[in-house]
Amino acid sequence: MSTTPTSSTGGNAPSSDPRQRRREQRGWYIYDWANQVFITSVVTVLIGPYLSGLACDAAGASGSCLEPELRIHPLGVDWIGVHPNALHPTLTTGVVLLLVLLLPLVGALADQSRHKKRWLFWLAAGGSVSISSMYLTDDYRLTALLFVLGNVGYGLSIVVFHAFLPEIATEEERNRVSVTGWSLAYLGGALLLTLHLGLITWAPDIGLGDAEAVRIAFASVGVWWLGFSVLGIRKLRNRYSELVSAPGPPRIGASLKQFGQTLRDMRTYPNTLLFLLAFVFFNDGIQSAIYFAGNFATQDLGLSLTVLSATILMIQFVAFAGALLMGRVSRVVGTKKTVLFSLFVWCALVTCGYFLPPGEPLLFILLGLGIGTVLGGTQSLARALFSLLIPRGREAEYFSLYQLADRGSSLLGAGMVSVVVNITGGYRTAIFSLLFFFVIGGALLWRTDLKAGVEAAGNTPPPHL
């Protein structure tokens, strides 16, 4: 995992050499390309229907798995039971709870480490190996455990990955770098999902069952994630700030103390705090829509895995172009206005989703077209905005809060979805409930004074903020 220079570099400011910045930015893009396949193929397309199928078989479902009385007992305790279709959102809730505990610690430790690249590599390696290991089992309990471990590895690695953004790009470059990373991530996810779609479509012709084809796809995701991670991380440089007082490994006690100080300091950055609160709500809607789209399509709309995969594949290509388009729009009308408009579009999309009739793949594809248009831009511009609202030298800590807001919002969404699915047996009403989160998040973002927040953090507000 070496690069040039091999030693840690003091100070967190981006390099004054444009060539060095471009080299690091290319490495950063590659990790975005590497990890997105987990979200695209595993989280969005495969794990929901696959895990629900394993759970429904374990519950003894005959035909439809929408009967509200169906139950499984993943912990082996009779009095703790969940509906098979609710296993996926319940696991997502559990992942969020784990990350709520771990994210602040990892963020603080990374800020005090001289080896941030090493942190990124091992977290990515842990997540990717866990996902590939799902190839080895068809037991729903073990599959669920490996999925949780992969999710935790992904969530923790993203904290460290995001913390590199202020170190590799100037204030004026943040939007461009963040949008480019998201765009390439969706392109990479689309490429591997194309191969997965072909594998699933032609599985019977090459002597594979659907479940075996899905497990092969899981294995390929882990290999892709880890392989490209190595290539990308090599181009980054280790840096350390004034938080690193002495050589040696970071201390947990000092890291937790520093994180507590960060929480107290945030009171002096009210617009950063308000932006985080807005992000919690509107990101809740986005993440929940991504996580449970597969379940909604296959369970409530009765669509095949092939149709779902093709739709998600289309979304990746549209999101690639949509992120670039929204990046250009933001440079004309301003980043804040662009994100607010995208949230209005999200409100319209989840409302349309509630009224989709079963067995109509064309309408689902059109809904996916709308999602892809705003998906990448909303997330990439939000990431760029937050990078401007944090004080230099505290990147991993503040991005751990950002990731905590990301996963914390998933806790709200997954918890709501779990409750609604346990009551109704399906996802239609749960998807419609996401409207609440987009409305609240948009209202809070509208009240955030971004220019004052950027200046308070000691950064220079870029044009068209």
Side-chain angles (χ1 to χ4, degrees):
M1 302 309 302
S2 62
T3 187
T4 304
T6 57
S7 60
S8 297
T9 302
N12 291 71
S15 171
S16 58
D17 182 357
R19 292 174 299 177
Q20 176 60 39
R21 291 203 306 274
R22 286 194 294 268
R23 170 185 166 84
E24 293 189 84
Q25 289 165 11
R26 287 194 295 269
W28 197 77
Y29 297 154
I30 292 173
Y31 188 76
D32 238 347
W33 166 285
N35 72 74
Q36 179 64 25
V37 297
F38 168 69
I39 297 297
T40 302
S41 287
V42 178
V43 172
T44 307
V45 178
L46 299 176
I47 193 63
Y50 176 73
L51 194 55
S52 292
L54 295 182
C56 287
D57 290 342
S62 57
S64 174
C65 197
L66 296 177
E67 295 88 350
E69 66 274 8
L70 286 175
R71 287 293 182 271
I72 56 171
H73 304 87
L75 299 181
V77 181
D78 290 341
W79 55 274
I80 301 180
V82 297
H83 191 280
N85 284 338
L87 178 61
H88 181 206
T90 301
L91 286 177
T92 302
T93 305
V95 167
V96 171
L97 292 174
L98 283 173
L99 289 174
V100 165
L101 296 175
L102 295 175
L103 285 170
L105 176 61
V106 170
L109 287 171
D111 268 336
Q112 294 198 37
S113 173
R114 293 171 179 260
H115 306 286
K116 196 180 295 182
K117 289 171 54 176
R118 192 176 300 170
W119 280 84
L120 182 55
F121 170 75
W122 285 111
L123 290 170
S128 59
V129 169
S130 297
I131 297 304
S132 285
S133 297
M134 291 197 293
Y135 171 77
L136 303 174
T137 181
D138 60 0
D139 178 80
Y140 85 89
R141 289 187 177 93
L142 186 53
T143 299
L145 175 61
L146 291 170
F147 176 63
V148 168
L149 294 176
N151 246 307
V152 170
Y154 170 83
L156 296 179
S157 75
I158 290 298
V159 170
V160 183
F161 166 68
H162 283 167
F164 278 99
L165 178 57
E167 300 179 350
I168 64 172
T170 64
E171 287 90 342
E172 292 78 11
E173 295 173 334
R174 302 277 174 84
N175 269 17
R176 175 185 59 79
V177 172
S178 185
V179 167
T180 302
W182 272 110
S183 300
L184 292 176
Y186 282 115
L187 190 60
L191 177 60
L192 190 58
L193 184 58
T194 301
L195 300 179
H196 292 158
L197 177 59
L199 175 64
I200 292 168
T201 302
W202 293 305
D205 298 330
I206 57 178
L208 294 176
D210 289 343
E212 187 175 2
V214 170
R215 290 198 299 274
I216 292 174
F218 289 152
S220 67
V221 165
V223 172
W224 177 293
W225 183 3
L226 182 58
F228 281 109
S229 294
V230 172
L231 295 178
I233 295 171
R234 286 175 61 89
K235 295 181 180 295
L236 299 172
R237 291 194 304 171
N238 283 314
R239 290 176 172 86
Y240 62 91
S241 68
E242 68 276 3
L243 296 177
V244 182
S245 57
R251 293 168 294 176
I252 293 179
S255 299
L256 290 175
K257 181 179 179 181
Q258 183 58 49
F259 182 74
Q261 183 63 45
T262 298
L263 291 178
R264 291 189 292 272
D265 287 348
M266 283 202 73
R267 292 177 295 180
T268 63
Y269 304 110
N271 286 292
T272 302
L273 192 57
L274 187 58
F275 177 86
L276 268 181
L277 187 58
F279 179 76
V280 165
F281 280 95
F282 72 71
N283 187 66
D284 184 7
I286 295 173
Q287 294 298 330
S288 297
I290 292 171
Y291 271 57
F292 306 119
N295 304 69
F296 174 58
T298 57
Q299 298 291 339
D300 292 70
L301 302 182
L303 303 178
S304 67
L305 188 59
T306 301
V307 171
L308 172 63
S309 300
T311 303
I312 301 301
L313 176 60
M314 178 206 66
I315 289 175
Q316 302 307 302
F317 285 112
V318 174
F320 165 72
L324 294 176
L325 175 62
M326 288 182 64
R328 289 182 177 273
V329 170
S330 71
R331 292 195 288 272
V332 177
V333 304
T335 306
K336 180 179 178 179
K337 290 180 180 179
T338 304
V339 175
L340 285 172
F341 175 75
S342 75
L343 297 181
F344 172 79
V345 176
W346 276 106
C347 290
L349 291 171
V350 296
T351 302
C352 291
Y354 178 77
F355 294 103
L356 279 185
E360 294 290 343
L362 179 59
L363 294 179
F364 182 72
I365 290 172
L366 290 175
L367 183 69
L369 180 64
I371 290 174
T373 303
V374 294
L375 176 61
T378 308
Q379 294 175 310
S380 62
L381 293 176
R383 179 172 67 183
L385 282 175
F386 186 73
S387 73
L388 296 167
L389 293 167
I390 59 181
R392 195 175 299 282
R394 311 287 285 277
E395 289 83 5
E397 279 183 69
Y398 273 78
F399 267 114
S400 73
L401 289 173
Y402 183 80
Q403 192 69 4
L404 195 61
D406 184 353
R407 295 301 162 176
S409 66
S410 299
L411 176 63
L412 296 175
M416 177 179 287
V417 170
S418 298
V419 170
V420 174
V421 172
N422 265 308
I423 294 173
T424 66
Y427 283 81
R428 185 179 297 274
T429 304
I431 293 296
F432 182 64
S433 69
L434 303 179
L435 180 69
F436 166 80
F437 297 102
F438 289 119
V439 171
I440 299 300
L444 292 172
L445 177 59
W446 179 75
R447 294 194 60 184
T448 304
D449 188 337
L450 293 176
K451 184 175 183 294
V454 173
E455 291 174 343
N459 297 313
T460 303
H464 312 301
L465 182 61

